[in-house]
Amino acid sequence: MKKIFRGFVLLVMILLLQLTVLPPNEALSNNSDIALTELNIKLMPEFINPEDWDYNIPSLLVGYHGTITNHSEAPYSGEIKISVPTKLPKFNAGFVAQFLNDEDAEPIEEDYTVNVEEGYISWIPQNPIESNESYHFVLEYFSAPIEGVVDRTFTFEFIADTNIDNVNIAVYAPYKAQNFTIDKESDLNSMTFGLEFHMYEHSDVKKGDLYDLTVSYKKEDIVTTMEALNDFSAPDDDAHAGFNQQGVQQQNDTFLNAENIIMISLSIIIVGAFVFIVLRKKNEPNSSVKENNVVPKKIVNKEEEIKKLRKMLTDGLIDEKIYKEKRAKLG
């Protein structure tokens, strides 16, 4: 198991060397000295649901991670404007944050504005981008473009608003997705914890270039990937049968203990996949106040109580530690 974990961390670090991230914008295209040099787009269907989301509707989490470089001789303190599909169903802006460098695991949130009519998110960095320095940031949003009940599909489109040196589009298959297919052949694909990963690499991208992907897969449950990763006790039920078959289940000293879950999360944070979770947990109320209300004193239906716990974890009402403790009490 430890070898599997080390392999996972190694894969993340390899990806880190390839990915530095974000999307183009009008403000950048009008200033040749301020250039978007690298852009990585992460597509994570059914990865995690935001707060107040209808749990029965599959969500798509999209992360724009990028690097803007100031080639001028003066600091840049102007506006950054990023095009986003605000007209998609249930569009929900997650956040905007700055990484102090491409290895930073604690991003600093930026105040931003969403222009729904014109379709963009804009903000002014808290600190000016110094001459010949780079600004690393992440922008994430949720939407509900996924169609179908069991046979699910969605289409993603990206149009470059400015010239970009390199653009990477990474697609993560959902937990327990079957027959996961994309209408274009990927440049890189891998398997992590039984989950598929596909990468599309583009260089010398010009303003107006269009990149689109249509993704389809079969999925019979609504368990999100983050919920499955957190449910490392792997209960013996139909919803988690595949998870057990992958060998990711609780043992006396399993590699998926609380410490390793944190390490996995931090590793993925480095490439931007878990930034939403980190920032959301900073704003959570004290979990100890809610602990007494997590599980009723008398358990009437074990499966129903497990579902409630998963829902509370997904909604951010409890953290992984409390979830593990309460899940263990259910037997």
Side-chain angles (χ1 to χ4, degrees), residues 87-188:
K87 299 303 175 63
L88 284 178
K90 293 183 70 65
F91 176 86
N92 185 329
F95 67 91
V96 175
Q98 175 194 4
F99 288 102
L100 297 180
N101 54 63
D102 56 9
E103 296 181 359
D104 185 16
E106 296 185 2
I108 302 171
E109 287 190 78
E110 301 276 23
D111 292 329
Y112 62 90
T113 301
V114 181
N115 189 315
V116 176
E117 291 303 316
E118 297 186 25
Y120 65 81
I121 291 177
S122 62
W123 73 96
I124 296 177
Q126 295 182 33
N127 301 308
I129 306 174
E130 298 296 334
S131 174
N132 297 316
E133 295 292 333
S134 293
Y135 174 78
H136 306 277
F137 65 95
V138 55
L139 178 157
E140 291 188 357
Y141 67 85
F142 291 87
S143 62
I146 303 174
E147 301 178 345
V149 179
V150 175
D151 296 315
R152 303 173 189 174
T153 184
F154 69 91
T155 297
F156 174 81
E157 290 186 351
F158 169 75
I159 301 176
D161 294 334
T162 186
N163 297 340
I164 314 171
D165 293 345
N166 297 291
V167 173
N168 295 322
I169 302 176
V171 186
Y172 298 81
Y175 166 68
K176 288 188 70 175
Q178 298 178 345
N179 301 325
F180 188 82
T181 59
I182 306 176
D183 65 342
K184 295 178 177 61
E185 184 177 355
S186 60
D187 298 303
L188 170 69

Side-chain angles (χ1 to χ4, degrees), residues 2 13 21 117 147 150 191 198 234 246-247 262 273 283 311:
K2 290 183 179 179
M13 295 308 175
V21 263
E117 291 303 316
E147 301 178 345
V150 175
M191 187 77 69
H198 299 264
Q246 294 163 15
I262 294 173
N283 298 322
K311 181 67 166 57

Side-chain angles (χ1 to χ4, degrees), residues 48-57 222-224 226-228 230-231 240 280-281 284 290 293-295 302-320 323 326-327 330:
I48 189 173
N49 295 327
E51 296 178 6
D52 301 322
W53 187 272
D54 185 340
Y55 191 72
N56 295 304
I57 299 177
I222 55 174
V223 178
T224 64
M226 190 61 196
E227 181 183 8
N230 285 320
D231 194 7
H240 293 78
R280 185 174 71 173
K281 286 189 177 300
E284 282 184 357
K290 304 173 184 176
N293 297 322
V294 173
V295 180
K302 175 182 175 181
E303 293 185 357
E304 287 300 319
E305 296 305 323
I306 292 175
K307 290 180 180 179
K308 290 179 182 179
L309 281 177
R310 294 175 190 150
K311 181 67 166 57
M312 295 180 74
L313 176 65
T314 304
D315 291 343
L317 298 178
I318 58 175
D319 58 22
E320 291 91 342
Y323 174 85
K326 297 301 181 182
R327 176 61 187 85
L330 295 176

